[in-house]
Amino acid sequence: MTLLPMTLLPMTLLPMTRLLVTPDHPPSALHSVRSASAWPCIAALFALLAVAAPSAAQSAAAPAPTVPAVPSVSNSAAADPDPVLIGNATAQVRKSDYLLELQRLPADIRGGFGNNKRRIEELLSRMLVIKTLAAQALAQKLDQDPEVMARLKGEMERFYAGARQVALERVALAEFEARKASLEPRARELYAADMKRFVVPEQVSASHILFATDKHSKGDALKLAQDTRARIVAGENFNTVAAAVSDDASTKPKKGRLGFFSREEMDPGFSAAAFALKNVGDVSEPALSRFGWHLIQLDGRTAGRQQPYAEVREVIFAEMRQKYVDERRDALLASIHNDPTTKIDEAAVEALFIPGTEVPGVTRPVKD
């Protein structure tokens, strides 16, 4: 695997940005990803410094030994449950490092991260760069630099603050689960109090052909729609014609099929025409939306219905669970904000104020 180049960050505080590649961004991009647990990025730095420390100490004492070529995962997994995935003469990235890094990704990204080999290799390359820089920093005794130590102390406090909140949330979740059976009546009350929320609206399934007004004049688009409808009424297949002439690039490969949708999901003009169709196979007159003129064919209809409690029970419990966790966290923070032992040195705080100081985007001084 080739170690790919990385754009280096200003060395004021490298760990403030996480060097990760996500499925929504090109593998070569330098991308900041917020941790799923909202922990500060310093967590990554601590892990890297801990792993890199032995290498840095050895490199300071003697010339660094050459790291052998990293064996393939398939060959090393049987002998070593935590194989080295990539390494150089200064640092190594093990499987456990990679798995830990994955846990910092948002859950919706984490699940599909491993289905792209290039993405995995890019991440490993960036992890090795960070580990190498961390080892070099320790070898140069930057951890003893007063400014670095001060900044590291601040980041440690942020990390532990996040860890404290995560620990509290885990306890709160366990408490909620222990009480879940007793909360069944409350869940039913919430359902009964807002049953309208759990009504599935009427839906129709339709196909359409678009003549876009950003491609044709409004008059020309209408004429095309009228002529095309005449062809369909004369016997041509709606979906075949849609695949040939529609200006909607997203549905053209599907022969104009949109599937089921509710009235609120579509442009009002489009929905009005689609829901006015009575029978499957009916084709509308040209209908105007903000995109242009449409021909719409009704493919199916489902009546609105009330979802029963059993169908939405887990949704209600998920909301109750989140509310319980939020309340526990908010109570913790409120206890700190309202701590009667808190004292403020008004004179020292006042001395921090600089008259006329402006915040970007704010035209008035910070203090009135």
Side-chain angles (χ1 to χ4, degrees):
M1 179 172 65
T2 303
L3 184 62
L4 298 165
M6 180 188 77
T7 302
L8 296 182
L9 302 177
M11 291 305 294
T12 53
L13 191 62
L14 178 63
M16 289 303 290
T17 298
R18 300 274 307 289
L19 305 181
L20 295 177
V21 179
T22 72
D24 298 323
H25 295 78
S28 60
L30 182 65
H31 183 60
S32 298
V33 179
R34 182 179 179 182
S35 167
S37 62
W39 288 15
C41 299
I42 192 65
L45 177 63
F46 289 137
L48 293 172
L49 291 178
V51 173
S55 299
Q58 292 169 6
S59 63
T66 301
V67 176
V70 178
S72 67
V73 173
S74 59
N75 292 335
S76 63
D80 184 355
D82 191 19
V84 174
L85 302 178
I86 183 174
N88 57 27
T90 303
Q92 295 177 335
V93 178
R94 291 187 173 272
K95 180 181 178 181
S96 59
D97 300 320
Y98 169 77
L99 295 177
L100 179 63
E101 194 66 28
L102 285 188
Q103 292 305 308
R104 298 190 180 102
L105 289 172
D108 58 337
I109 294 177
R110 188 189 316 143
F113 193 88
N115 62 13
N116 186 305
K117 184 179 179 182
R118 178 174 174 80
R119 192 160 54 212
I120 294 172
E121 292 179 347
E122 288 277 355
L123 175 57
L124 292 174
S125 293
R126 281 158 175 75
M127 291 177 68
L128 182 61
V129 170
I130 294 175
K131 279 179 171 285
T132 302
L133 289 171
Q136 291 174 354
L138 290 174
Q140 297 173 18
K141 301 187 184 302
L142 294 182
D143 57 322
Q144 300 176 26
D145 180 279
E147 181 180 353
V148 172
M149 293 173 67
R151 296 178 72 91
L152 188 57
K153 179 178 180 294
E155 292 302 321
M156 286 177 64
E157 291 172 347
R158 291 183 180 88
F159 171 76
Y160 285 124
R164 172 69 177 99
Q165 293 187 65
V166 170
L168 178 137
E169 290 170 5
R170 288 173 179 164
V171 170
L173 284 172
E175 291 173 351
F176 182 89
E177 292 303 320
R179 298 177 52 205
K180 188 173 181 179
S182 68
L183 295 173
E184 189 76 34
R186 176 56 180 162
R188 289 185 177 276
E189 287 177 8
L190 292 172
Y191 172 76
D194 195 11
M195 291 183 66
K196 290 182 179 180
R197 178 184 165 209
F198 302 107
V199 171
V200 177
E202 177 190 16
Q203 294 185 321
V204 297
S205 176
S207 299
H208 86 126
I209 301 171
L210 170 66
F211 298 96
T213 49
D214 63 355
K215 183 176 180 180
H216 313 281
S217 70
K218 190 173 181 179
D220 287 345
L222 175 59
K223 182 66 166 58
L224 287 169
Q226 291 169 334
D227 292 347
T228 302
R229 188 178 188 280
R231 291 167 54 189
I232 294 168
V233 171
E236 290 193 52
N237 180 270
F238 187 99
N239 296 106
T240 300
V241 175
V245 304
S246 179
D247 291 332
D248 185 353
S250 64
T251 60
K252 193 171 184 177
K254 297 181 288 186
K255 298 184 177 181
R257 294 185 177 91
L258 292 165
F260 280 95
F261 55 89
S262 65
R263 190 181 298 270
E264 292 73 23
E265 291 179 72
M266 296 295 184
D267 177 275
F270 185 95
S271 285
F275 279 82
L277 297 170
K278 302 299 182 184
N279 303 307
V280 171
D282 285 355
V283 177
S284 72
E285 295 290 338
L288 182 63
S289 77
R290 67 180 183 275
F291 304 105
W293 289 96
H294 304 259
L295 296 177
I296 306 169
Q297 175 181 269
L298 182 64
D299 297 332
R301 184 187 298 272
T302 60
R305 67 183 182 87
Q306 176 70 54
Q307 292 178 285
Y309 171 75
E311 190 174 313
V312 299
R313 177 180 180 274
E314 290 308 314
V315 173
I316 295 173
F317 266 102
E319 293 172 351
M320 292 172 64
R321 183 184 299 110
Q322 187 60 54
K323 183 174 183 290
Y324 183 81
V325 171
D326 291 345
E327 289 174 346
R328 288 294 308 276
R329 183 183 59 249
D330 292 346
L332 171 65
L333 299 178
S335 70
I336 297 172
H337 286 302
N338 301 323
D339 186 346
T341 66
T342 300
K343 293 181 173 58
I344 301 176
D345 186 333
E346 298 286 356
V349 173
E350 183 68 23
L352 299 176
F353 171 64
I354 304 174
T357 299
E358 294 186 358
V359 177
V362 179
T363 57
R364 63 175 179 80
V366 173
K367 183 177 179 182
D368 294 329

